[in-house]
Amino acid sequence: MSDTKITIQETTNNTIIKYNSNTILINGGSYEFNNIDEAKNSPLAQELFYLPFVKKVFITANFIAIQRFDILEWIDVQEEVKEQIEAYLNDGNVVVNEQKTSKKEAIEVYAEVTPNPAVMKFGTNKALTQTDVEFKNIDEANASSPLAQAIFNFPFVKEVFISDNYISITKYDMVEWGDVYGEVRTFIREYLADGKTIIKELPKEETATTEDKVEAPVVALEGIAAQIVDILDEYIKPAVAGDGGNIAFRSYDEANKVVSVVLQGACSGCPSSTATLKNGIESLLKEMLPNQINEVVAING
């Protein structure tokens, strides 16, 4: 038996609820099923469709989203569904019978420069992950991502950040991107086209690389913290993702009105990250949440 834990997360659509998993369910991508006939390659989705209130099932690498019919409210059944999914997964049952064929996928990979000269963004037409993952070294990658582990085999690779449809790679100063990006782009394209595993399990939070580091929230946020996350998701993340980076919310100190974030990918160590933090994020939060924000700080080095 595995040790899969499921947590419930509400969404902005009150007919849809997410069941987040602490283990990887499928190898990248996603599957959407509108009825039991469409779900013939997913034993889990088929089982869920036997519940009379289930309208749609959406399965990704680390969560299952279910849309209900209006015959009831989620509060009446969400715990029972959680227990059913958890039991199913811990019995070692198949989530999706992912197709293995000799024909390679048509994968496109393009390279983009970022504001951080040490970081190159490699975008792709294949969904990679629904949870951003960052690896500072090959040892971290070994336990979690075969793709990141393979990328670290290039001697100039310092860090790897994988997001929904792109990979940001930080290099050492021993080479210039102009000399090596083509080789890396080809490698990533062939790796993905072969259908190899992207992430085998989600990396565990370090206990403390710094005294200020805290674990990401696992329950629904409320009040100002929830509003901060909504603003980051809607206004900030799309912009920084375009540059190969990410900004993750960590905490809100209500007494001192200080927001703590983590800079990832191209944002981490970027010469312009301080300006982005102060002139971009901090100014926007102060404007949209008047009298609630004094400062925004990055807690990672």
Side-chain angles (χ1 to χ4, degrees):
M1 289 181 63
S2 62
D3 189 24
T4 298
K5 300 294 183 184
I6 297 295
T7 56
I8 298 172
Q9 180 183 345
E10 295 180 356
T11 71
T12 54
N13 184 334
N14 64 11
T15 69
I16 299 174
I17 200 164
K18 285 173 64 176
Y19 292 93
N20 296 313
S21 171
N22 67 332
T23 60
I24 292 296
L25 304 175
I26 59 174
N27 179 35
S30 61
Y31 296 85
E32 183 174 353
F33 306 105
N34 295 294
N35 53 60
I36 196 169
D37 292 330
E38 288 185 5
K40 58 186 178 183
N41 67 326
S42 173
L44 172 57
Q46 283 191 318
E47 182 170 308
L48 292 171
F49 274 116
Y50 282 115
L51 301 172
F53 53 84
V54 171
K55 182 178 181 180
K56 290 184 180 181
V57 177
F58 183 72
I59 298 175
T60 76
N62 67 304
F63 72 80
I64 301 158
I66 303 175
Q67 184 173 21
R68 62 170 173 80
F69 288 106
D70 292 332
I71 59 176
L72 47 67
E73 298 296 328
W74 271 119
I75 192 66
D76 300 323
V77 295
Q78 62 187 30
E79 288 295 335
E80 289 81 356
V81 175
K82 169 191 167 183
E83 292 172 4
Q84 180 178 342
I85 294 173
E86 224 169 49
Y88 181 94
L89 296 174
N90 284 319
D91 283 342
N93 294 309
V94 174
V95 176
V96 176
N97 289 309
E98 299 182 85
Q99 298 298 316
K100 297 290 185 180
T101 65
S102 57
K103 185 178 178 180
K104 290 187 176 183
E105 289 185 68
I107 298 294
E108 297 177 7
V109 176
Y110 58 89
E112 287 186 356
V113 296
T114 75
N116 188 340
V119 179
M120 181 73 74
K121 174 186 175 182
F122 295 88
T124 176
N125 61 336
K126 178 181 175 66
L128 304 175
T129 176
Q130 276 70 41
T131 299
D132 297 333
V133 290
E134 186 172 37
F135 306 100
K136 299 293 187 181
N137 53 61
I138 195 170
D139 291 332
E140 291 181 0
N142 286 348
S144 176
S145 172
L147 171 57
Q149 180 183 355
I151 292 172
F152 272 112
N153 286 327
F154 289 99
F156 51 83
V157 171
K158 182 180 180 182
E159 297 176 11
V160 177
F161 174 73
I162 304 176
S163 191
D164 55 354
N165 64 345
Y166 69 88
I167 303 163
S168 287
I169 301 176
T170 306
K171 68 172 180 66
Y172 288 105
D173 293 336
M174 60 192 290
V175 297
E176 296 298 326
W177 273 120
D179 299 326
V180 296
Y181 81 89
E183 180 183 3
V184 176
R185 181 180 61 188
T186 299
F187 173 80
I188 293 173
R189 183 176 64 240
E190 291 181 351
Y191 186 101
L192 297 176
D194 286 339
K196 295 179 181 178
T197 299
I198 299 167
I199 299 172
K200 64 182 180 181
E201 67 178 70
L202 296 176
K204 296 176 176 58
E205 287 284 335
E206 295 294 330
T207 53
T209 54
T210 161
E211 292 181 359
D212 296 323
K213 187 170 182 179
V214 296
E215 292 187 357
V218 295
V219 296
L221 296 171
E222 299 178 348
I224 298 300
Q227 293 180 58
I228 292 169
V229 171
D230 288 343
I231 293 169
L232 291 178
D233 287 346
E234 184 172 355
Y235 297 98
I236 303 298
K237 287 193 174 185
V240 297
D243 287 331
N246 185 55
I247 296 179
F249 173 82
R250 274 298 176 261
S251 64
Y252 172 64
D253 182 344
E254 189 171 356
N256 296 307
K257 300 180 180 179
V258 175
V259 180
S260 296
V261 297
V262 173
L263 303 179
Q264 298 174 309
C267 292
S268 181
C270 178
S272 61
S273 62
T274 300
T276 300
L277 201 66
K278 296 299 179 183
N279 300 333
I281 303 169
E282 187 173 287
S283 297
L284 180 64
L285 289 175
K286 285 180 176 179
E287 179 183 342
M288 300 189 73
L289 299 171
N291 303 317
Q292 300 297 332
I293 309 296
N294 285 334
E295 187 180 15
V296 177
V297 298
I299 62 175
N300 59 322

